[in-house]
Amino acid sequence: MKVAWVVATLVAQCTAVTISEINGNRYLSTYQGKNVSGVEGLVTAKGSAGFYLRSTSPDHHHKASKSIYVYGKSAVAQVSVGDIVTLSGEVAEYRSSSAYVYLTEITSPTGIEVASSDNKVTPLVIGHGRLIPPTNQFSSLDGGNVLGVPNNASQISHRNPILAPSKYGMDFWESLSGELVTLPGLHALTKPNQYGDTWVLGDWPATGQNQRGGLTMRSGDSNPEAIIIGSPLDGSKNPTDTKVGDIIADITGIVTQAYGYYALLPLSALTVTESNTTDASPTQLVSDGSCSALSVGSYNVENLTPNSTHLSKIADHIANYLKSPNVVFLQEIQDNTGASGDGVVASNVTLTTLTRAIKNQGGPSYSFIDIPPIDGQDGGEPGGNIRVAYLYDASVVQLRNAHPGNSTDAATVLPGAELNYNPVLLDPTNTAWDSSRKPLAAAWETLDGQNRFFTVNVHFSSKGGGSSIQGDARPPVNGGIGQREAQARVVADFTAAVLAEDEDAKVIVSGDFNEFAFVKPLKVFVAESGLQDLDEVAGIAKTERYTYIYDANCQQLDHMFVSEALAAEAQMEHVHVNTWVSYDDAASDHDPTVAVFNVCA
Ligand SMILES: *[C@@H]1O[C@H](CO)[C@@H](O)[C@H](O)[C@H]1NC(C)=O
Ligand SMILES: *[C@@H]1O[C@H](CO)[C@@H](O)[C@H](O)[C@H]1NC(C)=O
Ligand SMILES: *[C@@H]1O[C@H](CO)[C@@H](O)[C@H](O)[C@H]1NC(C)=O
Ligand SMILES: *[C@@H]1O[C@H](CO)[C@@H](O)[C@H](O)[C@H]1NC(C)=O
Ligand SMILES: *[C@@H]1O[C@H](CO)[C@@H](O)[C@H](O)[C@H]1NC(C)=O
Ligand SMILES: *[C@@H]1O[C@H](CO)[C@@H](O)[C@H](O)[C@H]1NC(C)=O
């Protein structure tokens, strides 16, 4: 009886708990919503609305973070970095969106008592001892593939998995939540996002590194070893002109979870100590004007209008970096009045302005062709009516029996692999293209009519509506994946029909697929189209396959796929005119691609 009475009293009084016990070895604290007291720790850093406390109690929970955020504006002034304090408070799980992972914290701290001051504060060092981030997997809930389907099969907040910090990147950073760490030997993996946050890699093991110093997303490797640097705790601002590969001075700061990512909040702003000034080189893949070396370029020119400030840079890229390909596949050409919802759908002024600028930059006098969309039906910036379009050098190639279809005419492959219209949209009324750009097919020939080839210019649905790669949904939601799969099937049906009429047909499908080669929509496309991934065919190193940067990763949204008849002598290059430069210097969010083919009959 007496023993039971003692235990009951201790529980009622809320015995002292350690920070490790509060955090536990899972994502969510078993103390959530409970009051705790006698929590002892060393103040390692302060922010404007709280401070960070590291346990001073010995414990055996090596998977649980030994540090925690104490949230409470008025408490900040009561402590100094280096104080050992005890306090009481309520354990809470906080997130600003239901799509994010929770941060465990102590709120409403009371009874703060400073036991001693000026204690030494030593950051842990990432890359030392056990503190090596995993390089491939994000979460035990991803079924081995962070890009796998079905998306959002489970949620961290629901399953609350046991942390395995040596296996899963999110678990690694979660096991350091609230901890003061130093990141040594850093370089930038990206330019900053709109908030000035930059992803970095330090002196620890990494996979997927490219020659520029970025990390390239590859099959089975989406790089959880990277971490994003958030807003400095002292209120200073990170630079906004950081570039991929920039060397950054060592950073000390706090590991936290915010806005859907594990982030490091530096004590003060990051500093770039060395920057790579080497520009992207102009391509060596140049047309010789004959059927044996015909060049093709592809470029998402990001909402191009006649008065876009980036138009002259785009023209420079096409003329001087892509060396004026004979045919250029463009995506995101807006109508003549840009993003004003005035019913205008024609883009001849946009395309004339661009082709004149290319000529002024030393390029040829390009001709152009597109099929204007029905107003407001194809998604993208409201009023802009983005569409795909071709530029072509009419001194080298021509449309075969030019006879353009309209915005609702669908391509049919006739006997002898002739098209009913040229150019023509692929099944434009299929629901696969709802609120999305319709693919534009064309049949081309050299001026003597002897050498034919087909092209399809695509711009699949975006990843909009997706969830963070480090978010609550596992695997994360890859926005639009189902629609892109349906789109891939429509385009594949067309190329398969061309190849059924002529197995030696020369076919190029290129553009912005908004998807990676190793994710379901493009796996379906390769399986059903009869085409091959040109990066594979041309032997581009897997780490150099990128045209875009998102989160920590250099990644490839833009692809070319070709038929067997074009594969043998094909060469290709991704020209990094935009991913390498600072945000302000970029002309588009995508890099262009150029390729050379033998199209001789
Ligand atoms: C925690 O403590 C606060 C302040 O003393 C009190 O208002 C609250 O009711 C307590 N909560 C629980 C769950 O005991
Ligand atoms: C994931 O599914 C859960 C449960 O159905 C839902 O509450 C949540 O909103 C979904 N998350 C996302 C990002 O779609
Ligand atoms: C600069 O970039 C070039 C091209 O990617 C690369 O080859 C070189 O190694 C980089 N230099 C440094 C110092 O990182
Ligand atoms: C470009 O023109 C559109 C409408 O024609 C206008 O809304 C926009 O402000 C202009 N942009 C610039 C940069 O002049
Ligand atoms: C654009 O097309 C309209 C209608 O066909 C024509 O009047 C106008 O001159 C064209 N503008 C340019 C720059 O080609
Ligand atoms: C496109 O042309 C077809 C005839 O080929 C016609 O029936 C249809 O109404 C036209 N669509 C539009 C949007 O002009």
Side-chain angles (χ1 to χ4, degrees), residues 98-99 152 155 465-467 473 477:
S98 64
N152 195 15
Q155 301 84 40
S467 63
V477 176

Side-chain angles (χ1 to χ4, degrees), residues 307 309 337 340:
N307 62 359
T309 51
T337 55
S340 52

Side-chain angles (χ1 to χ4, degrees), residues 336 348-349 352:
N336 294 338
N348 64 324
V349 179
T352 301

Side-chain angles (χ1 to χ4, degrees), residues 297-303 328-333 378 380 386-390 433 436-440 456-464 478-480 483-485 487-488 491 508-517 521-522 525 546-550 555-561 572 574 588-593:
S298 186
Y299 198 175
N300 179 325
V301 293
E302 201 178 6
N303 291 323
V328 185
F329 298 54
L330 299 173
Q331 300 87 42
E332 293 202 15
I333 295 294
D378 285 11
I386 52 171
R387 86 290 313 273
V388 303
Y390 294 103
W433 308 112
S436 187
R437 286 64 53 176
K438 282 58 178 169
L440 183 61
V456 182
N457 187 350
V458 307
H459 184 185
F460 284 4
S461 294
S462 81
K463 291 185 183 290
N478 181 354
Q483 190 171 4
R484 285 191 296 281
E485 182 180 335
Q487 294 175 342
V491 178
I508 306 164
V509 178
S510 183
D512 177 0
F513 292 78
N514 270 312
E515 194 54 276
F516 317 122
L522 293 190
F525 184 67
Y546 63 93
T547 59
Y548 198 83
I549 297 180
Y550 189 74
Q555 54 183 230
Q556 191 182 2
L557 299 178
D558 308 87
H559 307 264
M560 288 191 186
F561 295 91
M572 117 187 275
H574 304 295
S588 167
D589 48 353
H590 293 250
D591 283 331
T593 295

Side-chain angles (χ1 to χ4, degrees), residues 86-109:
T86 56
L87 52 76
S88 304
E90 184 177 332
V91 176
E93 295 288 353
Y94 175 75
R95 58 181 182 183
S96 58
S97 157
S98 64
Y100 302 162
V101 168
Y102 285 103
L103 175 72
T104 304
E105 59 187 24
I106 296 175
T107 63
S108 313

Side-chain angles (χ1 to χ4, degrees), residues 51-109:
F51 58 90
Y52 299 88
L53 207 55
R54 179 193 286 161
S55 183
T56 45
S57 322
D59 64 63
H60 307 287
H61 296 256
H62 76 265
K63 288 178 181 172
S65 176
K66 288 170 189 57
S67 290
I68 197 162
Y69 182 47
V70 180
Y71 173 67
K73 225 174 178 123
S74 58
V76 178
Q78 297 177 48
V79 300
S80 299
V81 171
D83 286 354
I84 289 179
V85 303
T86 56
L87 52 76
S88 304
E90 184 177 332
V91 176
E93 295 288 353
Y94 175 75
R95 58 181 182 183
S96 58
S97 157
S98 64
Y100 302 162
V101 168
Y102 285 103
L103 175 72
T104 304
E105 59 187 24
I106 296 175
T107 63
S108 313

